[in-house]
Amino acid sequence: MNFISTRGGNTVSGARAIVQGLSENGGLFVPETFPEVTAAELEEMLTMSYPERAAKVLLKYLDEYDGEELLKALEAAYAKFDGDPAPLVKIADGVYILELFHGPTCAFKDMALTVLPYLLRKGCDICGIKENVLILVATSGDTGKAALEGFKDAEGIKIMVFYPDDGVSKMQKLQMCTQDGGNVNVVAVKGNFDDCQSAVKEIFNSADYAKQLKEKNYILSSANSINFGRLAPQIAYYFSAYLDMVTSCQIEMGQEIDFCVPTGNFGNILAAYYAKRMGLPIRRLHCASNMNNILTDFLKSGEYDMHREFYKTTSPSMDILISSNLERLLFEISGRDAVLTSQRMQDLKEKGVYRITEGEKAAIAQIFDGGFANEDEVVETIYDLFCETGYTMDTHTGCAMKVAQDWFEKNKKDETKMVVVSTASPYKFPQDVLYAVTGNDVKDSFKGVKRLHAATAMAVPKCLAGLKDKAIRFNAVAKRGELFDEVLKFVD
C-alpha cells in the first residue's frame, strides 16, 4: 500500500513513510486508501493470539513487510508484557475498561513503541537506507520513556527525547532521566509540551538542519504518533478488544460498540477511527479531555482556537493545546483536500485558530463527540469507582470514565456497550491517585506508591518500584531555540 501526505506531495511506500516520519512539506502520512477487514476475517481473528491479531491488521497497511517476520517481531515485543497485552475488564453492565498499561513502561505507548524499532529498522532495509537514524521525540510524559526503552541500544539508531520541564509527573520524569542505554539522551525544555512538539517539527522541516545531520551520516525519524509506524500498532488493540467482547459473549459479532478515549494529541482516538474505517463495528467515539479541553470545544463549535489558558493538571499526558493527529481527521472530512488542510495548519501556526465548515462539523459529529473532566471531577470519579467496585484508575482514565458516565447520564436509554480506554498504570501517578482514593496527600512519589499499594492491594510494577535506586543520568535543561544545538552535541 502507498501513502500520501495530508498536505500534498509525492506518494511513498509504507516503509518510507515510517522511516521518514513526516513528509517533506510537514504533512502527516496517511494510507492512500483504507484497507478492509472483512466479516470472514473478523471471524478468523476470534481464535488468534494478540500478536496474530496485530499482524493481521498491520499487514493490511504494510504489505511490503514479510508476514512471518513481522509476526515474530510482534511476539517478541508482546512477550515483554505482563500477561495479556490488552486485557478487557468488565466494570458494570455495559461498561468495560481496556487496560493498555501492562508493558515495560506501564503506559499504552508500549503497545506501539515495542514494535516500532523493528518497523523502522526493517523499513530502512527495504528502502536501502544506509545512514544512521536519529529519532527525535517530544513527550508529554509517557511516549518519552516508552520510546527510550524500545530503542535503547538499537544498532544504527540514536534517540533523543524532549519533555516539558515541570510538565510531567515525578514518576514520569524519573523514568526518563534514569534511562539506561548507550544511544539515548533526554533534555528538559523550558515550556510546555506544545513548545517541545513545535520545536521538533521545526527541526524536521528545516532543510538546513537536515543537511547538517546528513553530513554527520544521520537521517531524522520520529517515534511520536505523527509517525504512521507509531499509529498503526494502536489500531490493533481496538480490533482485539472487540473480538474479546465477542468471545466472552458480551456482544454478538457485528453488534456495534462505543469507545471512550482519553486523548491529548488525538493519536489514540484516531487509531480507533481508522479501525472503524477498516470495518470494525464501532458506533461512536467519545473524545475525553482534561481541563485543557480544546478538543471538546472544537467538536462542539467547529473552531480550533489556541488562544486560551493552559492548565497543568494531574493528567499531564493530556496537557496539550496542539493536537497534531487531528490533522489526519481534518484531511479525511475535507474530502482529502490537501491544499485546504495545509492552509488550516498554516492558519493555526500563524493565527492560532482555524475553522471548519458546518458540513464538516456535521460529518465529524456522526462519529465523534467530546467531553472533559475538571480536577475535582477526576478525583470524585476515581474515588467513586474504587468504592463501588474496588477498581483503581489512573488520572487519565478518570477523565475518560467521567465523560463516559456523563454520556450515559444524558442518554439513559442508550444500551450500546462502552469500552473506556485505560492508558496508564495508577502507579505512574501515585500521589494523585492515592489522594483520590484515600484523601491522603504525600509529597514523595515512593511513599505514594507504598501507601497506594496498602490501600488497594494492587501489585506494584517492578519497573516503577526499582526507580528509587536508579541514578539520574540526564539533567540538561534548554530553551526551545537551543534544541538543535543539543541535537548536534548528541550526534557528535
Side-chain angles (χ1 to χ4, degrees):
M1 174 176 288
N2 289 325
F3 285 74
I4 57 177
S5 167
T6 53
R7 303 184 195 181
N10 296 332
T11 298
V12 301
S13 68
R16 173 64 68 175
I18 291 173
V19 172
Q20 209 170 304
L22 279 174
S23 70
E24 290 90 346
N25 57 21
L28 278 61
F29 287 115
V30 296
E32 202 166 37
T33 59
F34 282 101
E36 181 186 7
V37 174
T38 65
E41 287 174 316
L42 279 176
E43 290 284 351
E44 181 187 356
M45 291 167 71
L46 284 172
T47 57
M48 290 183 178
S49 66
Y50 186 86
E52 289 171 329
R53 291 172 176 175
K56 188 83 171 176
V57 172
L58 283 171
L59 285 170
K60 292 285 184 178
Y61 293 98
L62 307 176
D63 49 10
E64 63 209 295
Y65 286 73
D66 180 79
E68 290 185 10
E69 191 178 284
L70 175 61
L71 177 57
K72 288 180 181 178
L74 288 163
E75 288 173 339
Y78 295 124
K80 300 173 184 176
F81 283 59
D82 184 13
D84 186 346
L88 195 67
V89 179
K90 185 174 182 178
I91 295 298
D93 287 341
V95 182
Y96 307 79
I97 288 183
L98 176 61
E99 294 183 344
L100 300 177
F101 52 78
H102 295 285
T105 74
C106 302
F108 82 100
K109 310 296 175 75
D110 292 326
M111 300 297 296
L113 284 167
T114 51
V115 181
L116 185 56
Y118 163 77
L119 296 177
L120 181 59
R121 189 70 266 169
K122 189 63 179 178
C124 287
D125 294 341
I126 292 171
C127 296
I129 293 171
K130 304 300 182 185
E131 293 94 341
N132 295 317
V133 178
L134 173 62
I135 297 173
L136 299 184
V137 179
T139 184
S140 55
D142 288 333
T143 293
K145 172 59 180 177
L148 290 164
E149 188 66 25
F151 283 97
K152 70 177 182 182
D153 294 326
E155 184 179 352
I157 296 175
K158 283 192 174 187
I159 178 168
M160 189 168 187
V161 169
F162 302 107
Y163 72 91
D165 189 30
D166 197 33
V168 299
S169 78
K170 292 180 180 178
M171 199 64 80
Q172 288 173 316
K173 184 175 181 177
L174 274 175
Q175 281 189 298
M176 290 186 284
C177 294
T178 60
Q179 177 68 46
D180 52 358
N183 64 333
V184 304
N185 193 15
V186 179
V187 176
V189 179
K190 293 179 180 178
N192 58 35
F193 170 75
D194 295 321
D195 295 312
C196 300
Q197 182 170 244
S198 297
V200 167
K201 284 185 176 180
E202 286 171 9
I203 293 172
F204 268 89
N205 293 332
S206 169
D208 179 53
Y209 291 162
K211 181 182 177 183
Q212 291 184 59
L213 290 171
K214 185 83 169 177
E215 290 171 353
K216 298 176 184 294
N217 200 38
Y218 277 92
I219 61 168
L220 284 172
S221 190
S222 172
N224 285 96
S225 55
I226 55 175
N227 189 325
F228 188 79
R230 238 295 298 279
L231 184 68
Q234 295 179 235
I235 302 170
Y237 51 70
Y238 291 102
F239 276 92
S240 190
Y242 184 90
L243 295 166
D244 284 349
M245 290 190 71
V246 174
T247 57
S248 60
C249 300
Q250 304 300 308
I251 58 171
E252 295 181 359
M253 182 65 84
Q255 183 178 340
E256 290 188 327
I257 65 172
D258 287 5
F259 285 95
C260 186
V261 188
T263 189
N265 217 17
F266 209 74
N268 202 3
I269 199 167
L270 184 81
Y273 170 74
Y274 274 33
K276 178 177 173 65
R277 291 293 301 267
M278 294 174 72
L280 191 66
I282 296 174
R283 183 191 65 161
R284 295 194 67 77
L285 296 171
H286 306 270
C287 179
S289 301
N290 61 18
M291 290 177 67
N292 294 293
N293 60 335
I294 190 168
L295 287 169
T296 308
D297 290 345
F298 168 73
L299 292 170
K300 290 179 179 177
S301 70
E303 180 179 79
Y304 197 97
D305 188 354
M306 287 176 52
H307 300 117
R308 59 179 61 226
E309 186 174 354
F310 175 81
Y311 297 100
K312 290 183 179 180
T313 74
T314 55
S315 47
S317 295
M318 298 159 66
D319 290 348
I320 296 172
L321 293 182
I322 304 176
S323 301
S324 288
N325 271 288
L326 189 59
E327 180 174 342
R328 285 184 165 115
L329 180 64
L330 293 176
F331 180 70
E332 299 300 334
I333 59 104
S334 71
R336 301 200 136 198
D337 189 330
V339 174
L340 179 58
T341 303
S342 181
Q343 182 59 57
R344 284 169 171 164
M345 294 302 98
Q346 192 65 25
D347 288 344
L348 183 65
K349 182 178 180 180
E350 294 178 356
K351 304 173 186 176
V353 62
Y354 63 79
R355 296 170 183 83
I356 61 174
T357 67
E358 286 299 316
E360 290 170 330
K361 178 184 167 187
I364 291 176
Q366 290 180 358
I367 302 171
F368 293 88
D369 61 77
F372 76 99
N374 64 36
E375 294 290 81
D376 289 341
E377 289 170 334
V378 172
V379 169
E380 286 300 313
T381 303
I382 294 172
Y383 175 76
D384 288 344
L385 191 70
F386 179 73
C387 290
E388 293 166 9
T389 68
Y391 189 90
T392 309
M393 301 179 290
D394 85 296
T395 46
H396 303 74
T397 311
C399 290
M401 185 60 71
K402 177 65 168 69
V403 171
Q405 291 172 350
D406 287 347
W407 171 265
F408 284 120
E409 183 64 28
K410 294 175 184 176
N411 302 273
K412 295 183 184 293
K413 295 183 180 181
D414 188 2
E415 296 183 353
T416 303
K417 311 283 188 182
M418 174 86 78
V419 176
V420 175
V421 178
S422 182
T423 55
S425 165
Y427 283 115
K428 292 201 76 165
F429 312 93
Q431 294 138 291
D432 297 316
V433 177
L434 176 69
Y435 177 76
V437 169
T438 69
N440 293 330
D441 191 6
V442 298
K443 302 299 181 185
D444 181 77
S445 295
F446 295 101
K447 285 183 180 179
V449 168
K450 184 177 180 181
R451 295 184 186 183
L452 186 59
H453 174 66
T456 65
M458 290 185 303
V460 180
K462 292 179 181 178
C463 64
L464 297 180
L467 282 176
K468 187 175 182 180
D469 301 318
K470 293 192 73 172
I472 300 292
R473 289 188 65 199
F474 305 103
N475 53 21
V477 181
K479 296 178 182 178
R480 173 174 165 173
E482 301 169 344
L483 297 193
F484 190 66
D485 291 335
E486 294 292 331
V487 169
L488 290 180
K489 284 186 215 174
F490 181 46
V491 296
D492 284 340

